[in-house]
Amino acid sequence: MTETGVETEPGIKAIRLRHPWRNIFAVVLLLIVALFVADAAMRPAYDWPAVGKYLFDQRISQAAFITLQLTVYSMVIAIILGVTLAIMRLSPNTVVSSIAWVYLWIFRGTPVYVQLAFWGLIGTIYQTIDIGLPFTEPWVSFPTRVALSAFILAIVGLALNEAAYMAEIVRAGLLSVDSGQEEAATALGMSWFQTMVRIIVPQSMRVIIPPAGNEVISMLKTTSLVTAIPFTLELYTRSRDIAAVTFETVPMLIVASIWYLFFTSILMVGQYFLEKRFARGIGDRRPDKKADDAAASLTGATPVVGSGQPTVVLPPTDPPQGDR
């Protein structure tokens, strides 16, 4: 019996809906994975002893370090150039925005392998690099092949291609910030540089970081294409050259894949923490745990009053001032 004298029935017990087909599908997937692993462990073509032998080979580790260098140097240049191109694309000056658009059109519209092959032929197209005034004798002149090594050409080719994609990522991030933010900053007397550094860029980073992190990971794998220059000291080409001598192609591909997976795993962890850092204050898509607990307390055992009629449960309110 309640205080009003109305007899209540037991609370409603929620029963979770069962999905047996999901469990069956999960078991089938686990069996497929187990069969694949067991088959790979016994298949002679993989030659796991050879994988272990060359995994930490000095030539492979040096090539892995060079691959990291190509990734870092190219991404630093690409980010700087990409931010510049993004600002140019947003410029009200038609000439400036058009030049940026043409750059993006060329480097996004042609394959990166073709671009790298073009940079490999730059010494044939331009035999010398001349510094001076146009249509006059150059002040300084030196051979292109001496000034630009294959390593530098690989960095330049990768960076210029990646800058086109980074420009669009940065532009999308800047446009995601409401224009009212810039207007408010201007009303407070902040300069354009202060507005960008303190207001626009911090808010746009939550949009920029996820695709930019994906581009870094993609850059790491794209370094395998610098053989078009040709540059043969990075990870994939180096493992391929070793396989050409030892006739162990599959094990060397596995060795290169393990190194790529190792680097990408580290980059993915870094990307996760960067996303978490710049997403502070935006809000989590998952409901708050306290809100879940409160909802559970309201809906977990709702009493039923009278003859089968549900009772409307209201959230608790603050007591009147006089009752405190």
Side-chain angles (χ1 to χ4, degrees), residues 138-212:
W139 302 336
V140 180
S141 180
F142 40 84
T144 304
R145 295 184 181 275
V146 176
L148 301 176
S149 63
F151 181 74
I152 295 177
L153 290 175
I155 294 174
V156 171
L158 293 172
L160 293 181
N161 176 265
E162 184 61 34
Y165 296 93
M166 286 302 303
E168 291 297 275
I169 292 173
V170 173
R171 186 172 70 93
L174 296 178
L175 292 176
S176 68
V177 181
D178 189 85
S179 58
Q181 299 285 329
E182 185 175 358
E183 295 172 358
T186 303
L188 292 174
M190 300 178 67
S191 64
W192 178 86
F193 182 78
Q194 290 176 326
T195 302
M196 291 296 294
V197 173
R198 299 183 180 182
I199 306 298
I200 305 299
V201 172
Q203 296 184 65
S204 64
M205 289 301 288
R206 65 184 179 88
V207 178
I208 295 174
I209 289 297

Side-chain angles (χ1 to χ4, degrees):
M1 298 289 290
T2 63
E3 294 180 358
T4 59
V6 180
E7 184 177 359
T8 61
E9 297 179 4
I12 300 174
K13 182 179 180 181
I15 300 177
R16 179 176 295 179
L17 184 63
R18 299 182 183 275
H19 300 280
W21 289 107
R22 293 182 184 178
N23 298 330
I24 295 174
F25 183 66
V27 171
V28 171
L29 287 179
L30 289 176
L31 287 175
I32 293 175
V33 172
L35 289 174
F36 175 79
V37 172
D39 178 78
M42 297 181 295
R43 191 164 293 275
Y46 290 117
D47 197 357
W48 296 107
V51 173
K53 174 183 177 182
Y54 289 103
L55 184 60
F56 298 104
D57 187 273
Q58 184 177 4
R59 294 167 294 179
I60 295 296
S61 58
Q62 289 177 349
F65 179 70
I66 292 175
T67 297
L68 271 183
Q69 287 182 305
L70 289 173
T71 304
V72 173
Y73 297 157
S74 300
M75 282 306 303
V76 169
I77 298 173
I79 290 173
I80 296 174
L81 185 56
V83 172
T84 304
L85 289 169
I87 296 174
M88 292 174 63
R89 285 276 284 127
L90 298 175
S91 173
N93 189 308
T94 306
V95 175
V96 174
S97 61
S98 298
I99 291 175
W101 183 87
V102 170
Y103 181 96
L104 301 182
W105 173 61
I106 293 175
F107 283 92
R108 293 177 64 194
T110 55
V112 61
Y113 191 88
V114 174
Q115 297 174 27
L116 292 173
F118 177 86
W119 285 107
L121 297 173
I122 198 69
T124 304
I125 301 172
Y126 302 98
Q127 287 81 15
T128 60
I129 298 178
D130 301 327
I131 300 176
L133 297 176
F135 309 109
T136 62
E137 288 294 328
W139 302 336
V140 180
S141 180
F142 40 84
T144 304
R145 295 184 181 275
V146 176
L148 301 176
S149 63
F151 181 74
I152 295 177
L153 290 175
I155 294 174
V156 171
L158 293 172
L160 293 181
N161 176 265
E162 184 61 34
Y165 296 93
M166 286 302 303
E168 291 297 275
I169 292 173
V170 173
R171 186 172 70 93
L174 296 178
L175 292 176
S176 68
V177 181
D178 189 85
S179 58
Q181 299 285 329
E182 185 175 358
E183 295 172 358
T186 303
L188 292 174
M190 300 178 67
S191 64
W192 178 86
F193 182 78
Q194 290 176 326
T195 302
M196 291 296 294
V197 173
R198 299 183 180 182
I199 306 298
I200 305 299
V201 172
Q203 296 184 65
S204 64
M205 289 301 288
R206 65 184 179 88
V207 178
I208 295 174
I209 289 297
N214 294 337
E215 288 299 316
V216 175
I217 295 174
S218 178
M219 173 63 73
L220 177 71
K221 296 178 291 184
T222 306
T223 56
S224 61
L225 299 179
V226 295
T227 182
I229 288 181
F231 181 74
T232 60
L233 298 180
E234 51 83 30
L235 181 58
Y236 168 72
T237 308
R238 194 63 174 148
S239 61
R240 188 188 62 183
D241 293 343
I242 296 175
V245 176
T246 60
F247 300 102
E248 295 177 332
T249 304
V250 175
M252 295 310 303
L253 288 176
I254 295 176
V255 168
S257 300
I258 291 175
W259 277 99
Y260 282 122
L261 286 172
F262 173 71
F263 289 142
T264 53
S265 300
I266 296 175
L267 293 174
M268 290 172 65
V269 172
Q271 177 183 349
Y272 167 78
F273 284 105
L274 279 177
E275 291 181 14
K276 188 176 180 181
R277 167 68 174 80
F278 286 101
R280 294 183 304 173
I282 303 302
D284 200 339
R285 291 186 178 182
R286 294 174 298 178
D288 185 68
K289 188 176 185 299
K290 294 182 179 179
D292 286 347
D293 296 341
S297 64
L298 292 176
T299 61
T302 304
V304 180
V305 181
S307 57
Q309 299 298 323
T311 300
V312 178
V313 180
L314 298 177
T317 59
D318 295 332
Q321 295 291 336
D323 296 341
R324 293 182 178 177

